[in-house]
PDB file of all heavy atoms in Angstrom:
ATOM      1  N   PHE B 620      -8.579  -6.356 -17.741  1.00 90.00           N
ATOM      2  CA  PHE B 620      -8.863  -6.894 -18.999  1.00 90.00           C
ATOM      3  C   PHE B 620      -7.667  -7.647 -19.639  1.00 90.00           C
ATOM      4  O   PHE B 620      -7.861  -8.180 -20.716  1.00 90.00           O
ATOM      5  CB  PHE B 620      -9.268  -5.727 -19.967  1.00 90.00           C
ATOM      6  CG  PHE B 620     -10.485  -5.073 -19.602  1.00 90.00           C
ATOM      7  CD1 PHE B 620     -10.579  -3.800 -19.126  1.00 90.00           C
ATOM      8  CD2 PHE B 620     -11.738  -5.807 -19.634  1.00 90.00           C
ATOM      9  CE1 PHE B 620     -11.799  -3.158 -18.836  1.00 90.00           C
ATOM     10  CE2 PHE B 620     -12.939  -5.173 -19.360  1.00 90.00           C
ATOM     11  CZ  PHE B 620     -12.922  -3.836 -18.857  1.00 90.00           C
ATOM     12  N   ASP B 621      -6.528  -7.654 -18.978  1.00 87.00           N
ATOM     13  CA  ASP B 621      -5.403  -8.313 -19.459  1.00 87.00           C
ATOM     14  C   ASP B 621      -5.073  -9.559 -18.647  1.00 87.00           C
ATOM     15  O   ASP B 621      -4.497  -9.392 -17.590  1.00 87.00           O
ATOM     16  CB  ASP B 621      -4.239  -7.312 -19.435  1.00 87.00           C
ATOM     17  CG  ASP B 621      -2.959  -7.905 -20.061  1.00 87.00           C
ATOM     18  OD1 ASP B 621      -2.935  -9.017 -20.472  1.00 87.00           O
ATOM     19  OD2 ASP B 621      -1.923  -7.207 -19.966  1.00 87.00           O
ATOM     20  N   GLU B 622      -5.486 -10.663 -19.183  1.00 85.00           N
ATOM     21  CA  GLU B 622      -5.328 -11.886 -18.339  1.00 85.00           C
ATOM     22  C   GLU B 622      -4.027 -12.597 -18.775  1.00 85.00           C
ATOM     23  O   GLU B 622      -3.771 -13.801 -18.289  1.00 85.00           O
ATOM     24  CB  GLU B 622      -6.448 -12.802 -18.486  1.00 85.00           C
ATOM     25  CG  GLU B 622      -7.750 -12.283 -17.846  1.00 85.00           C
ATOM     26  CD  GLU B 622      -8.773 -13.351 -17.700  1.00 85.00           C
ATOM     27  OE1 GLU B 622      -8.559 -14.351 -16.912  1.00 85.00           O
ATOM     28  OE2 GLU B 622      -9.864 -13.175 -18.278  1.00 85.00           O
ATOM     29  N   GLN B 623      -3.158 -12.005 -19.489  1.00 84.00           N
ATOM     30  CA  GLN B 623      -1.946 -12.739 -19.884  1.00 84.00           C
ATOM     31  C   GLN B 623      -1.069 -12.793 -18.704  1.00 84.00           C
ATOM     32  O   GLN B 623      -0.871 -11.911 -17.951  1.00 84.00           O
ATOM     33  CB  GLN B 623      -1.218 -11.883 -20.955  1.00 84.00           C
ATOM     34  CG  GLN B 623      -1.664 -12.102 -22.420  1.00 84.00           C
ATOM     35  CD  GLN B 623      -0.670 -11.563 -23.417  1.00 84.00           C
ATOM     36  OE1 GLN B 623      -0.029 -10.516 -23.165  1.00 84.00           O
ATOM     37  NE2 GLN B 623      -0.678 -12.138 -24.566  1.00 84.00           N
ATOM     38  N   ASN B 624      -0.380 -13.954 -18.613  1.00 86.00           N
ATOM     39  CA  ASN B 624       0.607 -14.158 -17.558  1.00 86.00           C
ATOM     40  C   ASN B 624       1.818 -13.249 -17.811  1.00 86.00           C
ATOM     41  O   ASN B 624       2.076 -12.932 -18.990  1.00 86.00           O
ATOM     42  CB  ASN B 624       1.017 -15.541 -17.337  1.00 86.00           C
ATOM     43  CG  ASN B 624      -0.143 -16.391 -16.790  1.00 86.00           C
ATOM     44  OD1 ASN B 624      -1.053 -15.884 -16.178  1.00 86.00           O
ATOM     45  ND2 ASN B 624      -0.094 -17.690 -17.110  1.00 86.00           N
ATOM     46  N   GLU B 625       2.465 -12.849 -16.767  1.00 87.00           N
ATOM     47  CA  GLU B 625       3.595 -12.070 -16.943  1.00 87.00           C
ATOM     48  C   GLU B 625       4.842 -12.586 -16.259  1.00 87.00           C
ATOM     49  O   GLU B 625       4.701 -13.147 -15.175  1.00 87.00           O
ATOM     50  CB  GLU B 625       3.367 -10.636 -16.471  1.00 87.00           C
ATOM     51  CG  GLU B 625       4.493  -9.631 -16.666  1.00 87.00           C
ATOM     52  CD  GLU B 625       4.035  -8.187 -16.751  1.00 87.00           C
ATOM     53  OE1 GLU B 625       2.926  -7.948 -16.974  1.00 87.00           O
ATOM     54  OE2 GLU B 625       4.876  -7.349 -16.585  1.00 87.00           O
ATOM     55  N   ILE B 626       5.978 -12.446 -16.893  1.00 88.00           N
ATOM     56  CA  ILE B 626       7.213 -12.949 -16.252  1.00 88.00           C
ATOM     57  C   ILE B 626       8.247 -11.754 -16.272  1.00 88.00           C
ATOM     58  O   ILE B 626       8.345 -11.061 -17.273  1.00 88.00           O
ATOM     59  CB  ILE B 626       7.827 -14.077 -17.021  1.00 88.00           C
ATOM     60  CG1 ILE B 626       6.888 -15.342 -17.049  1.00 88.00           C
ATOM     61  CG2 ILE B 626       9.173 -14.525 -16.489  1.00 88.00           C
ATOM     62  CD1 ILE B 626       7.304 -16.454 -17.912  1.00 88.00           C
ATOM     63  N   SER B 627       8.848 -11.578 -15.184  1.00 90.00           N
ATOM     64  CA  SER B 627       9.918 -10.557 -14.991  1.00 90.00           C
ATOM     65  C   SER B 627      11.044 -11.188 -14.230  1.00 90.00           C
ATOM     66  O   SER B 627      10.990 -11.260 -13.031  1.00 90.00           O
ATOM     67  CB  SER B 627       9.392  -9.307 -14.341  1.00 90.00           C
ATOM     68  OG  SER B 627      10.436  -8.412 -14.180  1.00 90.00           O
ATOM     69  N   GLY B 628      12.054 -11.664 -14.967  1.00 93.00           N
ATOM     70  CA  GLY B 628      13.234 -12.332 -14.234  1.00 93.00           C
ATOM     71  C   GLY B 628      12.707 -13.554 -13.510  1.00 93.00           C
ATOM     72  O   GLY B 628      12.130 -14.468 -14.137  1.00 93.00           O
ATOM     73  N   ARG B 629      12.972 -13.581 -12.217  1.00 95.00           N
ATOM     74  CA  ARG B 629      12.547 -14.783 -11.392  1.00 95.00           C
ATOM     75  C   ARG B 629      11.084 -14.657 -10.924  1.00 95.00           C
ATOM     76  O   ARG B 629      10.611 -15.653 -10.321  1.00 95.00           O
ATOM     77  CB  ARG B 629      13.467 -14.944 -10.229  1.00 95.00           C
ATOM     78  CG  ARG B 629      14.871 -15.195 -10.482  1.00 95.00           C
ATOM     79  CD  ARG B 629      15.704 -15.450  -9.274  1.00 95.00           C
ATOM     80  NE  ARG B 629      15.729 -14.325  -8.390  1.00 95.00           N
ATOM     81  CZ  ARG B 629      15.114 -14.229  -7.201  1.00 95.00           C
ATOM     82  NH1 ARG B 629      14.319 -15.255  -6.760  1.00 95.00           N
ATOM     83  NH2 ARG B 629      15.310 -13.184  -6.489  1.00 95.00           N
ATOM     84  N   TYR B 630      10.476 -13.583 -11.186  1.00 95.00           N
ATOM     85  CA  TYR B 630       9.110 -13.371 -10.819  1.00 95.00           C
ATOM     86  C   TYR B 630       8.102 -13.615 -12.000  1.00 95.00           C
ATOM     87  O   TYR B 630       8.359 -13.323 -13.100  1.00 95.00           O
ATOM     88  CB  TYR B 630       8.868 -11.891 -10.448  1.00 95.00           C
ATOM     89  CG  TYR B 630       9.655 -11.399  -9.200  1.00 95.00           C
ATOM     90  CD1 TYR B 630       9.650 -10.036  -8.917  1.00 95.00           C
ATOM     91  CD2 TYR B 630      10.271 -12.251  -8.380  1.00 95.00           C
ATOM     92  CE1 TYR B 630      10.344  -9.542  -7.805  1.00 95.00           C
ATOM     93  CE2 TYR B 630      11.012 -11.793  -7.262  1.00 95.00           C
ATOM     94  CZ  TYR B 630      10.995 -10.486  -6.978  1.00 95.00           C
ATOM     95  OH  TYR B 630      11.790  -9.996  -5.981  1.00 95.00           O
ATOM     96  N   SER B 631       6.968 -14.297 -11.586  1.00 94.00           N
ATOM     97  CA  SER B 631       5.868 -14.443 -12.624  1.00 94.00           C
ATOM     98  C   SER B 631       4.567 -14.302 -11.916  1.00 94.00           C
ATOM     99  O   SER B 631       4.379 -14.576 -10.643  1.00 94.00           O
ATOM    100  CB  SER B 631       6.019 -15.832 -13.330  1.00 94.00           C
ATOM    101  OG  SER B 631       5.933 -16.888 -12.393  1.00 94.00           O
ATOM    102  N   TRP B 632       3.523 -13.898 -12.639  1.00 95.00           N
ATOM    103  CA  TRP B 632       2.201 -13.645 -12.114  1.00 95.00           C
ATOM    104  C   TRP B 632       1.153 -14.413 -13.001  1.00 95.00           C
ATOM    105  O   TRP B 632       1.337 -14.335 -14.231  1.00 95.00           O
ATOM    106  CB  TRP B 632       1.941 -12.183 -12.147  1.00 95.00           C
ATOM    107  CG  TRP B 632       2.771 -11.431 -11.127  1.00 95.00           C
ATOM    108  CD1 TRP B 632       2.483 -11.246  -9.774  1.00 95.00           C
ATOM    109  CD2 TRP B 632       3.992 -10.806 -11.324  1.00 95.00           C
ATOM    110  NE1 TRP B 632       3.445 -10.461  -9.208  1.00 95.00           N
ATOM    111  CE2 TRP B 632       4.465 -10.286 -10.114  1.00 95.00           C
ATOM    112  CE3 TRP B 632       4.904 -10.683 -12.454  1.00 95.00           C
ATOM    113  CZ2 TRP B 632       5.693  -9.582  -9.875  1.00 95.00           C
ATOM    114  CZ3 TRP B 632       6.139 -10.046 -12.297  1.00 95.00           C
ATOM    115  CH2 TRP B 632       6.486  -9.474 -11.131  1.00 95.00           C
ATOM    116  N   ASN B 633       0.206 -14.922 -12.335  1.00 94.00           N
ATOM    117  CA  ASN B 633      -0.802 -15.714 -12.972  1.00 94.00           C
ATOM    118  C   ASN B 633      -2.141 -15.093 -12.571  1.00 94.00           C
ATOM    119  O   ASN B 633      -2.589 -15.102 -11.424  1.00 94.00           O
ATOM    120  CB  ASN B 633      -0.745 -17.190 -12.511  1.00 94.00           C
ATOM    121  CG  ASN B 633      -1.814 -18.008 -13.278  1.00 94.00           C
ATOM    122  OD1 ASN B 633      -2.875 -17.564 -13.660  1.00 94.00           O
ATOM    123  ND2 ASN B 633      -1.483 -19.315 -13.434  1.00 94.00           N
ATOM    124  N   PHE B 634      -2.777 -14.495 -13.547  1.00 94.00           N
ATOM    125  CA  PHE B 634      -4.067 -13.742 -13.292  1.00 94.00           C
ATOM    126  C   PHE B 634      -5.171 -14.617 -13.917  1.00 94.00           C
ATOM    127  O   PHE B 634      -5.149 -14.886 -15.178  1.00 94.00           O
ATOM    128  CB  PHE B 634      -4.019 -12.324 -13.958  1.00 94.00           C
ATOM    129  CG  PHE B 634      -5.295 -11.627 -13.853  1.00 94.00           C
ATOM    130  CD1 PHE B 634      -6.216 -11.768 -12.794  1.00 94.00           C
ATOM    131  CD2 PHE B 634      -5.564 -10.631 -14.869  1.00 94.00           C
ATOM    132  CE1 PHE B 634      -7.319 -10.990 -12.767  1.00 94.00           C
ATOM    133  CE2 PHE B 634      -6.842  -9.904 -14.844  1.00 94.00           C
ATOM    134  CZ  PHE B 634      -7.665 -10.051 -13.707  1.00 94.00           C
TER     135      PHE B 634
END
Side-chain angles (χ1 to χ4, degrees):
Chain B
F620 293 113
D621 181 3
E622 289 193 67
Q623 276 194 334
N624 291 334
E625 181 156 341
I626 298 174
S627 177
R629 296 186 297 109
Y630 295 169
S631 62
W632 292 270
N633 184 331
F634 176 29

